[in-house]
């Protein structure tokens, strides 16, 4: 079975450019999460969706970050304009949100470098 | 607020030995789930084991077991018979209820030598 698919795997871009990260969750999963991993802050939640509806976006750093989930099989995380401090690994994860014992399955992550 | 604490930045063990990675948690919710994930140097996050707050028995998955002590709010991961491939970063995480986000600890780096 296909796992969570993220693209691109690596992104290098210059400060000020728009960056779009993409995620395809596991089919049938109704919860989708975006996390960011940095050396300084570890793994932290940015936003999550249940049944395509954003539930908690309190982790989104500022207005430069936005996330959408137009349907059950696709989500995007957009940064506009990007800044060097946005450099991190961004993970998308999905789970069966109605069962507590179901783990979140992570994609391979997008390693983002803002120059 | 929920919190996960992993106090061991690094652990070193020899092949075939058992190792315990510590995790303590803090929450006021009576219902919660505890997870362990492995992150090898390649970067992916791999789910290892789950323990629910109401589970009576400690969870086991192959060489992994979770030593759950509810009164002490600890959920230590035990890896039996360590292998070189176990060398990785290990994260303890929790969630208050189904479909909500994970709160992660800072992680413990495990190094297994031959």
């Amino acid at each position: 079975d296909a796992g969570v698919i993220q693209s691109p795997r690596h992104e290098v871009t210059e400060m000020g450019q728009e960056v779009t990260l993409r995620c395809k969750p596991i089919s049938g999963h109704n919860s989708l999460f975006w996390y960011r991993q940095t050396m300084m802050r570890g793994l932290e939640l940015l936003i999550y969706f249940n049944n395509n509806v954003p539930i908690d976006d309190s982790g989104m750093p500022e207005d430069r970050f936005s996330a959408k989930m137009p349907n059950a099989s696709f989500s995007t995380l957009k940064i506009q304009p990007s800044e060097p401090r946005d450099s991190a690994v961004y993970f998308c994860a999905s789970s069966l949100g109605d069962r507590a014992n179901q783990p979140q399955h992570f994609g391979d992550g997008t390693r983002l470098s803002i120059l | 607020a929920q919190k996960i604490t992993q106090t061991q930045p690094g652990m070193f063990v020899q092949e075939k030995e058992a190792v315990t990675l510590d995790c303590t948690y803090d929450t006021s919710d009576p219902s919660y789930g505890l997870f362990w994930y492995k992150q090898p140097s390649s970067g992916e996050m791999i789910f290892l084991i789950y323990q629910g707050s109401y589970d009576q028995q400690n969870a086991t998955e192959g060489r992994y077991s979770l030593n759950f002590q509810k009164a002490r709010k600890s959920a230590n991961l035990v890896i039996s018979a360590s292998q070189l491939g176990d060398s990785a970063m290990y994260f303890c995480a929790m969630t208050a209820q189904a479909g909500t986000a994970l709160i992660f600890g800072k992680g413990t780096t495990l190094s297994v030598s031959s």
Side-chain angles (χ1 to χ4, degrees):
Chain A
D1 289 342
V4 176
I5 300 172
Q6 290 187 247
S7 64
R9 288 294 311 277
H10 303 273
E11 175 88 11
V12 180
T13 192
E14 292 190 345
M15 183 175 69
Q17 297 297 307
E18 178 179 291
V19 174
T20 300
L21 310 182
R22 297 173 176 80
C23 176
K24 177 178 170 57
I26 292 173
S27 177
H29 283 188
N30 62 340
S31 294
L32 184 139
F33 306 82
W34 284 99
Y35 294 94
R36 180 170 67 176
Q37 185 177 29
T38 61
M39 290 293 292
M40 290 295 293
R41 299 175 65 91
L43 276 155
E44 54 183 352
L45 175 76
L46 297 176
I47 185 171
Y48 78 92
F49 298 82
N50 280 345
N51 298 314
N52 311 338
V53 176
I55 303 299
D56 182 356
D57 65 353
S58 59
M60 297 285 262
E62 49 201 89
D63 292 345
R64 298 184 297 106
F65 285 68
S66 63
K68 294 182 179 179
M69 192 165 187
N71 57 62
S73 59
F74 184 66
S75 177
T76 59
L77 177 67
K78 188 172 292 187
I79 308 173
Q80 167 63 23
S82 58
E83 296 182 3
R85 59 190 168 130
D86 302 331
S87 297
V89 179
Y90 291 80
F91 286 104
C92 175
S94 71
S95 71
L96 282 169
D98 55 347
R99 298 180 65 181
N101 64 345
Q102 292 298 309
Q104 293 180 20
H105 295 270
F106 284 70
D108 288 341
T110 294
R111 187 173 296 275
L112 178 62
S113 296
I114 309 296
L115 306 177
Chain B
Q2 299 174 333
K3 185 178 180 181
I4 294 283
T5 302
Q6 295 181 255
T7 58
Q8 306 156 313
M11 290 286 286
F12 298 86
V13 68
Q14 289 203 317
E15 268 186 304
K16 303 180 183 177
E17 291 184 349
V19 62
T20 298
L21 306 183
D22 293 342
C23 173
T24 58
Y25 61 91
D26 190 22
T27 181
S28 57
D29 294 301
S31 175
Y32 50 89
L34 295 157
F35 300 81
W36 278 91
Y37 283 83
K38 172 184 178 181
Q39 187 176 40
S41 58
S42 49
E44 68 269 30
M45 294 286 288
I46 303 167
F47 165 71
L48 295 177
I49 196 166
Y50 165 84
Q51 179 84 43
S53 58
Y54 293 119
D55 293 343
Q56 295 296 311
Q57 292 189 326
N58 287 342
T60 60
E61 289 287 349
R63 294 186 299 111
Y64 304 109
S65 60
L66 200 152
N67 184 1
F68 181 47
Q69 298 187 47
K70 195 169 183 177
R72 299 179 64 180
K73 293 189 174 180
S74 74
N76 298 338
L77 177 70
V78 181
I79 305 175
S80 63
S82 298
Q83 302 172 356
L84 294 177
D86 295 333
S87 294
M89 178 79 86
Y90 289 80
F91 291 97
C92 180
M94 73 179 299
T95 182
Q97 57 184 307
T100 61
L102 288 168
I103 306 296
F104 286 90
K106 296 289 187 186
T108 295
T109 300
L110 175 65
S111 299
V112 181
S113 59
S114 56

